[in-house]
Amino acid sequence: MNNKTFLTIHSAIYVVFALVLFFMPQTVWPIYGVELNDQYAFFLSQHTSIFLGGIGVISYQLRDIEVGKLAKKLFIALLISNLLGVVVTLYAGITGIFTGFGWSDPAFFTLLSIMSYLQFKKQ
C-alpha cells in the first residue's frame, strides 16, 4: 500500500474513534464493559479524544509524505504509538477492565502496528 492510502486509512480510523469517544462515550464504553458513572469518567473519555484526533490529523496532514528518512520516522512513531495501544488495551483485557467487545482493541492496535511496521519497511 502506498503512503497516501495508508495514512488516509490510519487517519480516518483515529478521527472516527476520537469523534465517537467525544460525542458518544456513554454509548460506546459499555460495549467494552466500562461504566461511565460520573462526570470525571465522561470527561476523561473526551480528553482521550484529543490525542486520538491529534494522531488522526497528523496522519492526514502527512499523507503526501515521500519515501525517505522523514517517512521512516513518521512510521516508527505510529508503530510505537500503536504498540502502546496494544500494551494498554491488553492490560485492560487481562485485568478485567475491558470485557465484552474489549478484546477487539488489542486486536485492532496489533493490526495497526503490523501495518505501520510494513509501511516503515517500505521506506
Side-chain angles (χ1 to χ4, degrees):
M1 166 180 333
N2 66 35
N3 288 346
K4 186 171 189 166
T5 301
F6 173 78
L7 289 170
T8 300
I9 292 168
H10 193 273
S11 172
I13 290 167
Y14 270 84
V15 168
V16 165
F17 274 100
L19 291 171
V20 167
L21 290 182
F22 186 83
F23 290 110
M24 300 173 19
Q26 70 280 15
T27 304
V28 85
W29 283 120
I31 297 169
Y32 289 86
V34 176
E35 186 178 318
L36 297 180
N37 52 11
D38 62 23
Q39 68 194 28
Y40 305 106
F42 190 88
F43 169 75
L44 284 174
S45 180
Q46 291 178 319
H47 191 267
T48 299
S49 71
I50 296 167
F51 307 106
L52 295 174
I55 292 170
V57 170
I58 291 167
S59 294
Y60 185 78
Q61 289 297 309
L62 294 175
R63 71 190 183 284
D64 292 322
I65 198 167
E66 299 290 331
V67 171
K69 186 177 179 181
L70 186 60
K72 276 189 161 194
K73 288 183 177 194
L74 171 64
F75 293 116
I76 273 294
L78 293 177
L79 172 60
I80 291 167
S81 176
N82 287 316
L83 286 172
L84 286 171
V86 171
V87 170
V88 170
T89 58
L90 192 59
Y91 171 80
I94 290 170
T95 61
I97 295 169
F98 274 0
T99 59
F101 198 61
W103 62 267
S104 69
D105 265 23
F108 163 76
F109 281 114
T110 299
L111 177 63
L112 284 179
S113 295
I114 291 166
M115 291 173 66
S116 296
Y117 176 76
L118 293 174
Q119 209 60 35
F120 167 78
K121 293 301 282 180
K122 289 182 180 182
Q123 307 309 306

